[in-house]
Every structure is written in C-alpha cells, then in structure tokens.
Amino acid sequence: MLCRNKWCSIGWNIHSSIGQQYLYHTLHTLTSPNTVRKLDSCIDFFIENEELRIQVQKILLALSHKSAYSYHYITTKHNYFNSKKLKTALLLNLLTLITFVLSFISYTFVLLMIPIFSINLYLHFRNKYAQYNLLDATNNFKLVHKAYSEIEKLNELRNLIEKETTVDEKNKIKKLYFLTHFFSAENIVKDDITTLVFFPLELLKILFNIEVITLELFAKLSVSIKDILKKNFEIIAKVDITIAIADLQVENTLCKPTFIKNKEIHISEIIHPLITNCIHNDLNLTNKSLLLTGSNMAGKTTFIRTFTINAILAQTLGFVFAKKYEAPFSKINTSIRITDNLEDNTSYYLKEVKRLKEFIQQAETNSPYILVLDEILKGTNTIERIASSYAILKYLNDTNSIVLVFTYDLELIDLLEKENYQCQFLQENIVNNQLHFDYKLQLGKIKTTNAITILELQKFPKLITDLAHTTKKSFS
C-alpha cells in the first residue's frame, strides 16, 4: 500500500544537506499564518522558470555531502576561539625570528630554537584535535560560499534574496575562505610519496605555528560575521525548499491552506502523500470533534495520519495534499503508537494516561489545539475504558480544542453523539469470500464488524468461529 516515489516525500526532492536540516527545523516549528505564506512568491517563481530551477538544483547538489551537518560549528558555541592561544603562537613566532637573527651572530643561539620548536610542536598537534572538530565545518563552508556566490550571480534570483551581501561582508567572507587553505592541506596527503613532498611544508607550519594562528583567526573572524554566515546558509536552505515544493506542485494536486478562527475543519479530497493512487476523502466539522470507528484494516489509522501530516504541512510549509483545507492555525499533539517503557517501569496504560494528562493541560489553556488519538485507553478493561474515554473526550471537546479520535468501542458512539462529536466510519465489503475496502469516510454508525469474519477467511477451525459468533450474540 505504501510507495516511495520521487514525489512521495518532500525530503526526497531536497537536494542539499542544508535544505534537509532546514526542512526538519521548519516541520518542527509552528510560527504564524503570515510566516507560512512567506515562501509563496519564491515557489511561484520556480514553477514558472523550469530551466532556472534545474540550474539551481545542480548548484545545490554540491552541498549534498553529510559534512553540511557540522556547518553550525563555525557559528555556535562549538567555535572555540582562544585569544590566549593566538597571542602565545604570535609570541613564539617573534622569539623564533629573534633567535634566527641572533644565530648569525653566534651559533649558540641556534640551541634556543630547540625548546621553542618543542613548544611549537606541542601546540601544533594539540591544535589538530580542535582542527579536526572544525574540519568538516570549514570544508563545508567553502562549498556553501561557492554555492551562494553562484546563486547570487543569477540576476533572476536577486529579488528572492532578502538582503544582498555588502562589499565589506563579501571581503570578510573571502578572507575567511582564504584562511581555510592553511589548515586543510593534510587532506591531500594520501600516500608515502605525497607525505615526503609535504613533510617540509609540515615542518614550516610547526616552526611558525601557521595552523594554530590561521585556525584561531578563522574562529575569530567567523564569530564576528556569524550573522552573515547564518543568513547565507538560510537563503540556500530556503531556495532548496522552495524548489522542492515547486516540483511537488508541478506533479501533484496541492492547495494553499486557509486558516480560520472558528472551531471548524473543512477539507476536500485530502490524500496521504506516501500512498500511491490514494483514495481521497472529505472532512467537515463545525463546532464538533470527530469520533472515527470502523472495521479492521479499513484505513482508520491511515486517515488519522493523513489528516495529521497535512495539518503539519499546512502550518509549516504552507501547502496541503488536498483540493481544499480550512482549519484553525493550531498546535498539534498526538497519541499514536504509545509503548510501554521497561527502563522507566511504565506500563502501556500509564504511558497513555500521562499523554492524556498532557492533552488536558494543553486544552485548559484554551489555545487552539488539534488533538489526535488512536485507540484511546486500549490498555485497560472494557467497562472502565469506555467510561474513562467518554469522560476525557467530553472534557476535551468542551474546550477550544478539536479532537480526532479513533476507537473500536462502538458504545462510545451513542454517548459522544450527544456531546458534539461527529461520528464517522470506514467499512469493508465481502465479495467472493474476500475483503474489499473502499477507504471512504461515511457519516453515522458502523453497520458491521469483521474481526470474526477475518478469522473465518484465515481458515480458523469452525469450532472456534462458531463459538465466537455465539458468544458475541450473548454479549449483544
């Protein structure tokens, strides 16, 4: 049922590691309805300019290496600039030069070079540990600098860049780029011959603390222009994301969400982005929450996830896999795939109770929330599950939250219909002793169940299935 085509997930259309990081951040960050719409003009631009879209994608492919994940080292606290180390290295260089000059007066001064060289040697190799931590970041900085420079040269994209880099900023970045060449030379040392060739260069680096000084200067300069580096990083990320969304819009039916203030949801032809030939569904809730029931394998959990995924996309990237989407701009919380935790000595039921307590605390703030629950309280006995579920769901729906809950407990239908829950179901048909599903939402109460029928279709002993049917009737 699931298929990962090239369009199935927006992440597959992201061409750079930078874009992947920014996408992850965006999908986990709710801002405001206005912020969601900021990328619209960029997306429309790339939809209309296919050749330029392909040209920029080729530039972004150079940033697909995993080293991009360490780029933040040069703009955060991981950047370890140490002024004392820089001053020490410069002082040792001065002593080296003085000793070298004095050696022309007397050869005995050459002996002073030994302790100085020993200290330099210690600093050089100690510095390499720090250098290796920043090496991936500095190498990626060079790729980012090159990619951004190429993007900035494209006249058509100048209007997409919120603020162009000034001449002074460009000069600082060029200086930063120049410094990287002094502490990455060992990357090309791959065999004995090249080791011999670069050995004198390595001695020169040790003698004058070249790597120590250039790395410290790099760290100092990158801290001073970290805002510029972050801006360039984010522009590349946004360009990558807008191209990915543009590709999706060209190949799929997407719509821009409309955010409303009322407690309502109106959706037309929504689909799951990871399902090939997905059956679309509509959902209309007005001052109500949704109670979803249905047969086994009818697609209840898939629909719950379909809505949740699209709600997240609507509120972060500003598009939905549907023809229409109207809902409040809401925080989203889910209770899906709850598991017990042996390390914390927490049972399945207790874990779910804690999650529901979290739901209640959020709903009590009266902020707009969309709360999604899959099989509420299934970790306890039937009577207490139904009683507790009814009380919790009624409480949640009496707030400003919209609840979407799936349950097998059909007894909840009569209870919650009176509490402004819209009851809908998904059902199967049995044709020639085979289950057939249409995956279409229907209003009202489910008319049949299929748990025992599935046992029959799987050829369980007739003694078991007959007894199951008889016991079911006695419960009814």
Side-chain angles (χ1 to χ4, degrees):
M1 193 173 185
L2 295 181
C3 173
R4 296 193 172 217
N5 292 330
K6 64 179 180 180
W7 58 268
C8 280
S9 168
I10 186 171
W12 282 52
N13 285 324
I14 297 292
H15 290 79
S16 70
S17 298
I18 292 175
Q20 292 173 7
Q21 292 176 78
Y22 195 79
L23 173 64
Y24 181 89
H25 169 75
T26 303
L27 290 174
H28 288 76
T29 306
L30 286 184
T31 51
S32 69
N34 294 331
T35 306
V36 168
R37 298 267 65 86
K38 278 191 173 181
L39 296 178
D40 283 356
S41 60
C42 302
I43 295 168
D44 294 339
F45 173 81
F46 280 118
I47 289 175
E48 295 169 3
N49 295 273
E50 183 179 3
E51 289 185 8
L52 187 62
R53 192 167 79 234
I54 294 171
Q55 184 180 352
V56 177
Q57 284 173 340
K58 290 178 181 178
I59 296 172
L60 295 173
L61 281 173
L63 300 173
S64 59
H65 194 270
K66 64 180 181 180
S67 64
Y69 294 119
S70 58
Y71 183 87
H72 69 282
Y73 275 74
I74 62 176
T75 59
T76 63
K77 62 183 180 181
H78 298 287
N79 187 331
Y80 73 107
F81 170 64
N82 188 328
S83 59
K84 289 184 179 180
K85 186 189 289 187
L86 179 59
K87 290 176 181 178
T88 301
L90 291 172
L91 178 61
L92 286 168
N93 281 3
L94 180 62
L95 291 174
T96 300
L97 289 172
I98 293 173
T99 306
F100 180 74
V101 172
L102 291 175
S103 65
F104 286 101
I105 300 172
S106 172
Y107 289 117
T108 56
F109 285 105
V110 175
L111 297 175
L112 292 176
M113 296 284 289
I114 297 174
I116 295 173
F117 185 82
S118 299
I119 296 171
N120 288 350
L121 189 67
Y122 169 77
L123 283 177
H124 177 81
F125 285 102
R126 183 177 179 183
N127 180 69
K128 281 186 179 291
Y129 288 106
Q131 175 183 332
Y132 292 146
N133 289 334
L134 281 174
L135 192 58
D136 279 346
T138 55
N139 285 341
N140 193 255
F141 157 75
K142 289 188 280 188
L143 296 175
V144 171
H145 170 65
K146 183 179 178 181
Y148 181 80
S149 299
E150 291 181 24
I151 290 173
E152 199 174 34
K153 287 177 185 175
L154 298 172
N155 292 327
E156 299 91 338
L157 296 183
R158 289 189 175 231
N159 62 325
L160 302 182
I161 299 174
E162 296 177 4
K163 181 185 175 184
E164 288 194 33
T165 310
T166 64
V167 175
D168 182 55
E169 290 172 343
K170 287 180 179 178
N171 289 335
K172 288 180 178 178
I173 291 175
K174 285 180 181 178
K175 184 178 179 181
L176 203 62
Y177 180 77
F178 173 74
L179 288 171
T180 60
H181 293 84
F182 290 94
F183 48 83
S184 58
E186 55 268 16
N187 283 349
I188 59 175
V189 179
K190 296 180 179 179
D191 53 49
D192 293 340
I193 295 175
T194 51
T195 300
L196 289 172
V197 172
F198 283 95
F199 182 69
L201 180 61
E202 191 73 9
L203 286 177
L204 186 64
K205 286 182 177 182
I206 296 171
L207 186 62
F208 292 101
N209 294 300
I210 292 174
E211 287 191 2
V212 176
I213 293 170
T214 53
L215 187 61
E216 291 300 331
L217 289 175
F218 179 92
K220 182 180 180 180
L221 182 57
S222 60
V223 168
S224 70
I225 61 170
K226 65 180 180 180
D227 291 338
I228 306 169
L229 298 176
K230 287 180 180 179
K231 184 205 74 172
N232 294 357
F233 184 93
E234 288 183 4
I235 287 174
I236 291 174
K238 287 178 182 178
V239 168
D240 202 355
I241 287 179
T242 53
I243 289 177
I245 297 174
D247 282 340
L248 284 172
Q249 289 203 15
V250 169
E251 299 174 3
N252 302 277
T253 299
L254 304 180
C255 77
K256 294 177 182 178
T258 300
F259 298 112
I260 56 180
K261 293 185 178 180
N262 300 331
K263 186 177 175 178
E264 298 180 14
I265 293 176
H266 301 289
I267 301 173
S268 296
E269 299 189 17
I270 192 170
I271 63 169
H272 195 299
L274 296 180
I275 297 179
T276 306
N277 301 321
C278 185
I279 303 299
H280 58 74
N281 271 293
D282 302 339
L283 179 64
N284 291 285
L285 302 173
T286 302
N287 293 320
K288 289 186 176 183
S289 290
L290 174 68
L291 177 67
L292 181 61
T293 58
S295 305
N296 293 287
M297 303 185 298
K300 300 175 294 300
T301 299
T302 299
F303 175 77
I304 289 287
R305 289 177 176 173
T306 297
F307 171 81
T308 307
I309 289 170
N310 280 284
I312 292 170
L313 291 175
Q315 299 184 163
T316 54
L317 298 177
F319 73 90
V320 184
F321 284 84
K323 283 194 173 180
K324 174 185 174 183
Y325 180 96
E326 292 181 0
F329 193 88
S330 310
K331 295 179 182 178
I332 300 170
N333 202 349
T334 64
S335 178
I336 301 174
R337 274 191 163 183
I338 299 293
T339 58
D340 56 4
N341 191 319
L342 294 177
E343 292 182 0
D344 293 341
N345 195 28
T346 306
S347 69
Y348 176 94
Y349 178 72
L350 183 56
K351 198 79 177 285
E352 188 174 14
V353 165
K354 288 184 176 181
R355 178 59 63 85
L356 290 171
K357 180 65 180 299
E358 183 182 317
F359 280 18
I360 291 168
Q361 290 172 339
Q362 291 169 342
E364 286 175 341
T365 65
N366 213 33
S367 299
Y369 268 92
I370 293 176
L371 304 174
V372 182
L373 299 95
D374 190 4
E375 294 190 63
I376 182 172
L377 295 179
K378 68 178 182 180
T380 191
N381 65 83
T382 303
I383 294 176
E384 289 188 306
R385 179 174 66 248
I386 293 169
S388 300
S389 297
Y390 165 68
I392 292 169
L393 294 173
K394 179 185 183 305
Y395 186 89
L396 291 174
N397 194 41
D398 287 341
T399 68
N400 201 27
S401 300
I402 298 177
V403 183
L404 282 79
V405 57
F406 151 58
T407 181
Y408 282 112
D409 293 320
L410 305 184
E411 296 85 351
L412 284 172
I413 296 175
D414 292 331
L415 293 169
L416 290 174
E417 272 186 326
K418 301 171 186 177
E419 305 297 343
N420 284 330
Y421 271 84
Q422 181 169 292
C423 297
Q424 296 193 235
F425 66 93
L426 290 154
Q427 198 166 21
E428 83 296 334
N429 293 311
I430 299 176
V431 180
N432 296 325
N433 288 326
Q434 288 188 335
L435 291 171
H436 291 270
F437 302 96
D438 61 11
Y439 304 112
K440 295 294 289 185
L441 277 179
Q442 300 181 55
L443 277 170
K445 302 178 182 180
I446 188 170
K447 301 173 180 63
T448 62
T449 54
N450 67 7
I452 300 175
T453 302
I454 290 174
L455 298 181
E456 293 174 330
L457 294 177
Q458 293 299 314
K459 302 190 184 308
F460 271 57
K462 195 171 184 302
L463 189 63
I464 292 175
T465 55
D466 285 349
L467 181 58
H469 279 298
T470 303
T471 307
K472 177 185 173 182
K473 289 178 182 178
S474 68
F475 283 135
S476 300

